[in-house]
Amino acid sequence: MSDQNLIYHYTDISTLALILDSGRIRFNRLDQVLDLSEARTGKGIPFGKFFFVSCWTQHSDESIPLWRLYTRDMAGIRIGLPAYPFEEIEFEPPPEWRFVKKGSMPSPIPLDEAWTDTHFIVPQFFNKKLFGAAVSYTDDIQTVYERSVTIEQDGEQTLLSVGRLFDLPRLKTTAWRFENEYRFALFILPAIPIPPGGPSGHEYEKELPNHMLRRLFGGEGPPQTYFDVRLSQAALDGIEVVLGPCCTAGERVIVESLLEKYTANGCVRSSMLEGTIRGK
């Protein structure tokens, strides 16, 4: 059974505390996730160093495999949040970017976090269908990667195109189908320092894509291994927390205290599996 209005994330109580305290959810680099086979290479490009993902499930029934995989001794928690839980922030260039057209639009990531001296996030996050979608399961992932990437040589210039780029980080082998996973994804590239007047100078516009291509082909990802994105306070205020089947009374007190401190209406409930699984 699935509730299309909520998505769920299995984790430990300490991670819940960090999420509530920071108001952010973590996107991990694809080559750092549990499934080692996800860090794929296409036409020599190690895409696992450039994709960052936040992993959820759409399945509202509790899953014993997910409790086992993502919580310690089944004594963690399951978070339930709206299917789009992010804060909408104005994506607006700073005043000193003289040559950039003024204006703003709502975004889950502010411009000063998406585009810095060290990294650039491809702004697919404006399109909610590209930012978050269900994972597809196939046993021929490598073929999909190879067919998606096209590299052409035009004189001294190398041209790279990737078809359906944001489908790639949402491919898993059929062995993982039980997760019913829903995933948010970012594609983050290394950048170079932004000139004082903004990114519209001729030299910067020429050097930035060249730098990105060199790093892609060289397999040199951005400096970070994770990226944190802000959650809306409304989503946090209505958070649903299910205690793991083997949680203790003391762990319930901790979770209740966290929700009381950081949320307006966060609720906690016991697992439907409580009392049916022997704890360690």
Side-chain angles (χ1 to χ4, degrees):
M1 178 182 179
S2 118
D3 182 343
Q4 296 301 316
N5 295 318
L6 291 179
I7 52 175
Y8 305 95
H9 182 71
Y10 291 75
T11 188
D12 289 314
I13 294 172
S14 59
T15 300
L16 172 66
L18 292 172
I19 291 169
L20 293 175
D21 184 61
S22 67
R24 294 176 180 252
I25 197 76
R26 178 150 295 179
F27 284 59
N28 288 301
R29 210 169 69 185
L30 197 57
D31 62 358
Q32 305 290 311
V33 299
L34 187 61
D35 180 3
L36 298 177
S37 69
E38 290 198 55
R40 299 280 175 162
T41 297
K43 299 288 174 63
I45 298 173
F47 284 93
K49 294 184 178 181
F50 301 91
F51 283 123
F52 291 69
V53 295
S54 177
C55 305
W56 302 72
T57 181
Q58 293 180 298
H59 206 58
S60 60
D61 290 342
E62 291 180 55
S63 166
I64 292 175
L66 294 182
W67 281 124
R68 287 286 188 196
L69 280 170
Y70 298 112
T71 71
R72 185 176 301 172
D73 299 332
M74 302 185 77
I77 49 94
R78 189 191 73 172
I79 298 167
L81 287 176
Y84 187 83
F86 302 102
E87 183 179 353
E88 293 279 59
I89 305 156
E90 290 300 313
F91 194 84
E92 188 172 13
E96 61 269 21
W97 286 21
R98 300 184 298 274
F99 305 108
V100 176
K101 184 178 179 180
K102 299 303 178 184
S104 63
M105 62 182 73
S107 163
I109 304 173
L111 178 59
D112 62 357
E113 294 181 15
W115 195 347
T116 74
D117 289 342
T118 60
H119 72 260
F120 174 80
I121 305 178
V122 177
Q124 98 290 345
F125 46 77
F126 287 122
N127 184 329
K128 292 181 180 180
K129 292 182 179 180
L130 293 179
F131 186 33
V135 166
S136 296
Y137 298 93
T138 175
D139 287 324
D140 201 13
I141 296 175
Q142 192 57 45
T143 297
V144 177
Y145 266 82
E146 294 296 334
R147 289 177 177 172
S148 297
V149 182
T150 302
I151 301 172
E152 298 177 346
Q153 204 69 34
D154 183 9
E156 296 183 356
Q157 188 175 16
T158 301
L159 305 176
L160 169 69
S161 63
V162 184
R164 301 184 69 86
L165 174 67
F166 295 102
D167 287 345
L168 298 182
R170 281 183 274 264
L171 292 172
K172 297 190 72 169
T173 59
T174 54
W176 293 85
R177 193 187 298 275
F178 68 90
E179 290 189 324
N180 294 289
E181 189 174 340
Y182 188 91
R183 179 173 281 187
F184 297 98
L186 298 170
F187 191 61
I188 307 182
L189 293 162
I192 55 177
I194 302 169
S200 298
H202 175 71
E203 287 301 319
Y204 183 85
E205 289 182 338
K206 178 181 177 181
E207 181 53 30
L208 180 62
N210 288 338
H211 175 78
M212 291 175 174
L213 274 176
R214 288 194 298 268
R215 291 299 186 91
L216 277 166
F217 288 122
E220 300 177 60
Q224 63 268 56
T225 57
Y226 62 85
F227 187 85
D228 294 341
V229 179
R230 303 181 199 186
L231 298 168
S232 75
Q233 189 57 49
L236 290 173
D237 282 339
I239 192 172
E240 171 193 289
V241 179
V242 176
L243 298 170
C246 299
C247 275
T248 65
E251 286 163 334
R252 172 183 280 274
V253 170
I254 292 171
V255 172
E256 289 175 341
S257 297
L258 287 169
L259 297 186
E260 182 179 359
K261 178 177 180 180
Y262 290 105
T263 77
N265 300 297
C267 66
V268 58
R269 63 179 176 83
S270 299
S271 169
M272 296 295 291
L273 301 168
E274 185 181 41
T276 68
I277 297 173
R278 191 182 306 280
K280 289 188 177 180

PDB file of all heavy atoms in Angstrom, residues 226-242:
ATOM      1  N   TYR A 226      28.814  15.143   0.160  1.00  0.00           N
ATOM      2  CA  TYR A 226      27.388  15.255   0.458  1.00  0.00           C
ATOM      3  C   TYR A 226      26.977  16.712   0.285  1.00  0.00           C
ATOM      4  O   TYR A 226      27.816  17.624   0.240  1.00  0.00           O
ATOM      5  CB  TYR A 226      27.066  14.776   1.873  1.00  0.00           C
ATOM      6  CG  TYR A 226      27.738  15.571   2.979  1.00  0.00           C
ATOM      7  CD1 TYR A 226      27.165  16.747   3.463  1.00  0.00           C
ATOM      8  CD2 TYR A 226      28.936  15.153   3.527  1.00  0.00           C
ATOM      9  CE1 TYR A 226      27.782  17.491   4.460  1.00  0.00           C
ATOM     10  CE2 TYR A 226      29.558  15.875   4.528  1.00  0.00           C
ATOM     11  CZ  TYR A 226      28.985  17.034   4.989  1.00  0.00           C
ATOM     12  OH  TYR A 226      29.607  17.767   5.978  1.00  0.00           O
ATOM     13  N   PHE A 227      25.649  16.916   0.190  1.00  0.00           N
ATOM     14  CA  PHE A 227      25.105  18.262   0.074  1.00  0.00           C
ATOM     15  C   PHE A 227      23.787  18.285   0.820  1.00  0.00           C
ATOM     16  O   PHE A 227      22.942  17.407   0.626  1.00  0.00           O
ATOM     17  CB  PHE A 227      24.891  18.634  -1.395  1.00  0.00           C
ATOM     18  CG  PHE A 227      24.484  20.065  -1.602  1.00  0.00           C
ATOM     19  CD1 PHE A 227      25.444  21.062  -1.693  1.00  0.00           C
ATOM     20  CD2 PHE A 227      23.144  20.419  -1.682  1.00  0.00           C
ATOM     21  CE1 PHE A 227      25.072  22.392  -1.857  1.00  0.00           C
ATOM     22  CE2 PHE A 227      22.770  21.744  -1.851  1.00  0.00           C
ATOM     23  CZ  PHE A 227      23.743  22.725  -1.941  1.00  0.00           C
ATOM     24  N   ASP A 228      23.600  19.269   1.697  1.00  0.00           N
ATOM     25  CA  ASP A 228      22.395  19.348   2.530  1.00  0.00           C
ATOM     26  C   ASP A 228      21.421  20.385   1.965  1.00  0.00           C
ATOM     27  O   ASP A 228      21.813  21.515   1.652  1.00  0.00           O
ATOM     28  CB  ASP A 228      22.762  19.727   3.963  1.00  0.00           C
ATOM     29  CG  ASP A 228      23.576  18.640   4.651  1.00  0.00           C
ATOM     30  OD1 ASP A 228      23.538  17.493   4.180  1.00  0.00           O
ATOM     31  OD2 ASP A 228      24.261  18.937   5.647  1.00  0.00           O
ATOM     32  N   VAL A 229      20.156  19.996   1.856  1.00  0.00           N
ATOM     33  CA  VAL A 229      19.115  20.862   1.298  1.00  0.00           C
ATOM     34  C   VAL A 229      18.080  21.169   2.375  1.00  0.00           C
ATOM     35  O   VAL A 229      17.680  20.285   3.151  1.00  0.00           O
ATOM     36  CB  VAL A 229      18.440  20.197   0.080  1.00  0.00           C
ATOM     37  CG1 VAL A 229      17.337  21.099  -0.487  1.00  0.00           C
ATOM     38  CG2 VAL A 229      19.478  19.896  -1.005  1.00  0.00           C
ATOM     39  N   ARG A 230      17.632  22.415   2.410  1.00  0.00           N
ATOM     40  CA  ARG A 230      16.718  22.864   3.459  1.00  0.00           C
ATOM     41  C   ARG A 230      15.323  22.268   3.305  1.00  0.00           C
ATOM     42  O   ARG A 230      14.756  22.233   2.212  1.00  0.00           O
ATOM     43  CB  ARG A 230      16.587  24.393   3.423  1.00  0.00           C
ATOM     44  CG  ARG A 230      17.900  25.132   3.566  1.00  0.00           C
ATOM     45  CD  ARG A 230      17.672  26.629   3.551  1.00  0.00           C
ATOM     46  NE  ARG A 230      18.903  27.354   3.251  1.00  0.00           N
ATOM     47  CZ  ARG A 230      19.022  28.667   3.287  1.00  0.00           C
ATOM     48  NH1 ARG A 230      17.975  29.402   3.605  1.00  0.00           N
ATOM     49  NH2 ARG A 230      20.170  29.251   2.998  1.00  0.00           N
ATOM     50  N   LEU A 231      14.745  21.841   4.410  1.00  0.00           N
ATOM     51  CA  LEU A 231      13.354  21.406   4.465  1.00  0.00           C
ATOM     52  C   LEU A 231      12.474  22.575   4.900  1.00  0.00           C
ATOM     53  O   LEU A 231      12.926  23.461   5.627  1.00  0.00           O
ATOM     54  CB  LEU A 231      13.200  20.251   5.450  1.00  0.00           C
ATOM     55  CG  LEU A 231      13.976  18.977   5.107  1.00  0.00           C
ATOM     56  CD1 LEU A 231      13.978  18.031   6.300  1.00  0.00           C
ATOM     57  CD2 LEU A 231      13.387  18.291   3.894  1.00  0.00           C
ATOM     58  N   SER A 232      11.227  22.570   4.458  1.00  0.00           N
ATOM     59  CA  SER A 232      10.324  23.637   4.892  1.00  0.00           C
ATOM     60  C   SER A 232       9.917  23.405   6.346  1.00  0.00           C
ATOM     61  O   SER A 232       9.808  22.258   6.805  1.00  0.00           O
ATOM     62  CB  SER A 232       9.082  23.687   4.001  1.00  0.00           C
ATOM     63  OG  SER A 232       8.207  22.627   4.305  1.00  0.00           O
ATOM     64  N   GLN A 233       9.691  24.484   7.055  1.00  0.00           N
ATOM     65  CA  GLN A 233       9.267  24.347   8.441  1.00  0.00           C
ATOM     66  C   GLN A 233       7.892  23.699   8.513  1.00  0.00           C
ATOM     67  O   GLN A 233       7.596  22.934   9.440  1.00  0.00           O
ATOM     68  CB  GLN A 233       9.243  25.708   9.142  1.00  0.00           C
ATOM     69  CG  GLN A 233       9.023  25.621  10.643  1.00  0.00           C
ATOM     70  CD  GLN A 233      10.076  24.766  11.348  1.00  0.00           C
ATOM     71  OE1 GLN A 233      11.270  24.942  11.121  1.00  0.00           O
ATOM     72  NE2 GLN A 233       9.627  23.837  12.195  1.00  0.00           N
ATOM     73  N   ALA A 234       7.047  23.961   7.509  1.00  0.00           N
ATOM     74  CA  ALA A 234       5.722  23.334   7.491  1.00  0.00           C
ATOM     75  C   ALA A 234       5.838  21.815   7.396  1.00  0.00           C
ATOM     76  O   ALA A 234       5.092  21.077   8.058  1.00  0.00           O
ATOM     77  CB  ALA A 234       4.898  23.871   6.323  1.00  0.00           C
ATOM     78  N   ALA A 235       6.774  21.348   6.576  1.00  0.00           N
ATOM     79  CA  ALA A 235       6.973  19.898   6.461  1.00  0.00           C
ATOM     80  C   ALA A 235       7.470  19.317   7.777  1.00  0.00           C
ATOM     81  O   ALA A 235       6.993  18.270   8.227  1.00  0.00           O
ATOM     82  CB  ALA A 235       7.962  19.600   5.330  1.00  0.00           C
ATOM     83  N   LEU A 236       8.417  20.012   8.419  1.00  0.00           N
ATOM     84  CA  LEU A 236       8.949  19.527   9.691  1.00  0.00           C
ATOM     85  C   LEU A 236       7.894  19.578  10.789  1.00  0.00           C
ATOM     86  O   LEU A 236       7.827  18.680  11.639  1.00  0.00           O
ATOM     87  CB  LEU A 236      10.168  20.353  10.092  1.00  0.00           C
ATOM     88  CG  LEU A 236      11.424  20.139   9.247  1.00  0.00           C
ATOM     89  CD1 LEU A 236      12.508  21.129   9.634  1.00  0.00           C
ATOM     90  CD2 LEU A 236      11.937  18.712   9.385  1.00  0.00           C
ATOM     91  N   ASP A 237       7.069  20.614  10.775  1.00  0.00           N
ATOM     92  CA  ASP A 237       6.041  20.737  11.811  1.00  0.00           C
ATOM     93  C   ASP A 237       5.041  19.594  11.762  1.00  0.00           C
ATOM     94  O   ASP A 237       4.445  19.236  12.779  1.00  0.00           O
ATOM     95  CB  ASP A 237       5.308  22.077  11.681  1.00  0.00           C
ATOM     96  CG  ASP A 237       6.108  23.239  12.253  1.00  0.00           C
ATOM     97  OD1 ASP A 237       7.008  22.981  13.083  1.00  0.00           O
ATOM     98  OD2 ASP A 237       5.834  24.391  11.878  1.00  0.00           O
ATOM     99  N   GLY A 238       4.842  19.010  10.578  1.00  0.00           N
ATOM    100  CA  GLY A 238       3.887  17.917  10.452  1.00  0.00           C
ATOM    101  C   GLY A 238       4.543  16.554  10.306  1.00  0.00           C
ATOM    102  O   GLY A 238       3.894  15.605   9.854  1.00  0.00           O
ATOM    103  N   ILE A 239       5.808  16.444  10.681  1.00  0.00           N
ATOM    104  CA  ILE A 239       6.549  15.199  10.504  1.00  0.00           C
ATOM    105  C   ILE A 239       5.891  14.037  11.250  1.00  0.00           C
ATOM    106  O   ILE A 239       5.370  14.199  12.346  1.00  0.00           O
ATOM    107  CB  ILE A 239       8.017  15.377  10.964  1.00  0.00           C
ATOM    108  CG1 ILE A 239       8.885  14.196  10.531  1.00  0.00           C
ATOM    109  CG2 ILE A 239       8.093  15.574  12.471  1.00  0.00           C
ATOM    110  CD1 ILE A 239      10.383  14.434  10.786  1.00  0.00           C
ATOM    111  N   GLU A 240       5.900  12.878  10.611  1.00  0.00           N
ATOM    112  CA  GLU A 240       5.397  11.656  11.231  1.00  0.00           C
ATOM    113  C   GLU A 240       6.585  10.745  11.511  1.00  0.00           C
ATOM    114  O   GLU A 240       7.371  10.459  10.604  1.00  0.00           O
ATOM    115  CB  GLU A 240       4.416  10.955  10.288  1.00  0.00           C
ATOM    116  CG  GLU A 240       3.991   9.576  10.739  1.00  0.00           C
ATOM    117  CD  GLU A 240       3.275   8.808   9.638  1.00  0.00           C
ATOM    118  OE1 GLU A 240       2.131   9.186   9.326  1.00  0.00           O
ATOM    119  OE2 GLU A 240       3.862   7.853   9.081  1.00  0.00           O
ATOM    120  N   VAL A 241       6.740  10.311  12.738  1.00  0.00           N
ATOM    121  CA  VAL A 241       7.861   9.452  13.111  1.00  0.00           C
ATOM    122  C   VAL A 241       7.330   8.136  13.663  1.00  0.00           C
ATOM    123  O   VAL A 241       6.557   8.133  14.628  1.00  0.00           O
ATOM    124  CB  VAL A 241       8.779  10.130  14.153  1.00  0.00           C
ATOM    125  CG1 VAL A 241       9.925   9.192  14.526  1.00  0.00           C
ATOM    126  CG2 VAL A 241       9.332  11.443  13.606  1.00  0.00           C
ATOM    127  N   VAL A 242       7.727   7.042  13.037  1.00  0.00           N
ATOM    128  CA  VAL A 242       7.382   5.707  13.525  1.00  0.00           C
ATOM    129  C   VAL A 242       8.618   5.130  14.206  1.00  0.00           C
ATOM    130  O   VAL A 242       9.716   5.133  13.633  1.00  0.00           O
ATOM    131  CB  VAL A 242       6.934   4.790  12.376  1.00  0.00           C
ATOM    132  CG1 VAL A 242       6.682   3.366  12.889  1.00  0.00           C
ATOM    133  CG2 VAL A 242       5.678   5.339  11.715  1.00  0.00           C
TER     134      VAL A 242
END
